[in-house]
Amino acid sequence: MSVEQPTLPLNDVAPLTGGCYRGDHLLLAEMIAPNSKVLDVGCGDGDLLQLLETRGIDGRGIELSREGVNHCVAKGLAVVQGDADTDLVNYPDDAFDYVILSQTLQATRQPKAVLENLLRIGRRAIVSFPNFGYWKMRVQLLVGGHMPRTDNLPATWYDTPNIHFCTIKDFVQLCGEINVKMERAVALDLYGRPLRFNAPWWFWNMFGEQGVFLLSRGEKNE
């Protein structure tokens, strides 16, 4: 699959408004149809689930850290402790309308298997991740000669939970390899705002600080 020529399907990107909510969370919530059943994998403290709840969406969560689970339960959210790498296999097919993996893909041990499970248990998946091809990352490697650190990736190389960094281009290639349909893709800037014009993939790979993808299953090859 070529990733140099296509442009991101960025039509009808709505302005992000919502008080104190993160820009990427607002965008994810806007991608989900009302009254949907949603699983948030790696839900952290439950901020996204709370946002979905305000929009009439039935959200459940799975979180690795006990501290995160406790925060979610204290907020009245339906969250259980679990590991995306090992526990998603226990969910039945088509259990949810959407499965979300927000800023978690790079921390999984088997990202390809996790992505396949997302689209097995959900009719659609929404995946967001920090783009390691972002120009500031490249400059830190090229000029500074050290592993990059940004506001979105503040940890040092020896203290980070992230083990599988990828770029927007890498993710697009993976979707092609496992026959995943990209229904919508949005590149976000450093402040979580969508870059609001179409451009070749290389542009998003260079200037998008994050990537957000709405995915569905591709057609099965006969």
Side-chain angles (χ1 to χ4, degrees):
M1 178 180 179
S2 172
V3 297
E4 294 297 337
Q5 298 304 320
T7 57
L8 287 169
L10 287 172
N11 296 332
D12 302 321
V13 175
L16 301 181
T17 58
C20 61
Y21 292 110
R22 279 171 33 186
D24 58 325
H25 282 179
L26 290 167
L27 178 61
L28 267 63
E30 186 266 331
M31 289 181 173
I32 298 172
N35 303 314
S36 295
K37 187 176 180 182
V38 174
L39 177 66
D40 185 3
V41 180
C43 60
D45 290 344
D47 290 343
L48 177 56
L49 286 172
Q50 282 191 304
L51 172 59
L52 297 180
E53 191 176 60
T54 67
R55 302 193 174 196
I57 295 168
D58 180 10
R60 316 292 173 86
I62 175 174
E63 167 59 30
L64 181 61
S65 74
R66 171 51 59 183
E67 181 181 7
V69 173
N70 291 340
H71 280 298
C72 290
V73 172
K75 296 175 181 178
L77 301 172
V79 174
V80 298
Q81 188 171 21
D83 187 334
D85 281 298
T86 59
D87 294 328
L88 290 181
V89 295
N90 298 320
Y91 286 84
D93 296 357
D94 296 321
F96 296 90
D97 298 308
Y98 297 83
V99 182
I100 298 171
L101 191 71
S102 174
Q103 303 296 319
T104 304
L105 181 69
Q106 71 281 356
T108 61
R109 294 187 296 277
Q110 299 291 334
K112 178 181 176 182
V114 168
L115 182 57
E116 290 172 330
N117 269 315
L118 299 183
L119 284 165
R120 178 185 61 79
I121 65 179
R123 294 175 179 85
R124 288 182 173 84
I126 302 176
V127 179
S128 68
F129 54 89
N131 174 30
F132 211 66
Y134 182 52
W135 71 269
K136 287 189 177 180
M137 300 276 203
R138 303 185 190 208
V139 169
Q140 289 187 49
L141 278 170
L142 180 64
V143 179
H146 58 80
M147 286 298 291
R149 296 173 65 184
T150 67
D151 290 342
N152 199 34
L153 294 170
T156 56
W157 68 269
Y158 54 82
D159 196 34
T160 178
N162 302 312
I163 56 177
H164 281 112
F165 288 114
C166 73
T167 69
I168 289 175
K169 181 176 180 179
D170 290 328
F171 186 78
V172 171
Q173 289 176 328
L174 175 59
C175 289
E177 289 173 11
I178 62 175
N179 193 29
V180 169
K181 179 182 178 182
M182 291 181 293
E183 293 192 3
R184 186 173 172 191
V186 181
L188 304 181
D189 66 15
L190 185 61
Y191 306 101
R193 301 172 303 198
L195 302 178
R196 297 181 181 277
F197 49 91
N198 288 334
W201 283 113
W202 68 262
F203 183 91
W204 304 114
N205 203 44
M206 177 75 75
F207 296 104
E209 201 267 345
Q210 301 177 53
V212 182
F213 290 78
L214 173 62
L215 309 170
S216 60
R217 303 163 195 162
E219 297 182 1
K220 292 183 178 180
N221 296 322
E222 299 296 336

